[in-house]
Each structure stands twice: as C-alpha cells, then as structure tokens.
Amino acid sequence: ENSAPEVLQLFTIGLDELNLDGSGTLDAHGSSIATYGQAQIQGFASVFTGRTFAGSESFIRVSRDYINPMQA
C-alpha cells in the first residue's frame, strides 16, 4: 500500500480538493477536504498488485489465507 498514496498524491489528484481557481476547498469546520481515503488506497494497491489471498471472493472480502499461494 505504499505506492498507491504516492501515485495519488504526486501524479494525479493531490492531497486536498481544490476549487476551480486553485484555492483549497474547505469543510464546515474550515479544514481542507481530502481527495482520497484508506479505502481508495487499498483499492489502488489491489489494482497495482493484481493479487489477493487464496479463496477470496473479491479484493473487498478477503479470506486472509496465509498458507495457500495468492491468486490473481
């Protein structure tokens, strides 16, 4: 999962949402709004590796099988 946030941060959308004029978008509390979260990072990591635990239905519902080889 180390490569996914680097790609998102450096080469695509950046850390914070921006307005059309380039200024930062703020929430109701005046804090910046993140463009991605942990779920997106895990999704990108799954795409980059293309592998998951054996017997998993999907990348979201993994089996955590540490014995058998990973599957594509």
Side-chain angles (χ1 to χ4, degrees):
E1 294 180 11
N2 292 336
S3 297
E6 296 296 329
V7 169
L8 289 167
Q9 180 180 349
L10 299 173
F11 302 113
T12 59
I13 58 177
L15 290 174
D16 301 322
E17 287 186 13
L18 299 176
N19 294 313
L20 292 176
D21 65 359
S23 62
T25 303
L26 304 176
D27 64 11
H29 303 289
S31 300
S32 59
I33 300 172
T35 54
Y36 58 89
Q38 186 62 30
Q40 289 79 20
I41 292 171
Q42 288 175 329
F44 270 82
S46 298
V47 169
F48 292 157
T49 62
R51 302 190 92 42
T52 188
F53 292 98
S56 296
E57 293 179 31
S58 68
F59 285 105
I60 298 169
R61 299 188 64 198
V62 297
S63 67
R64 304 284 184 217
D65 181 351
Y66 294 105
I67 304 295
N68 294 307
M70 295 183 84
Q71 66 186 29

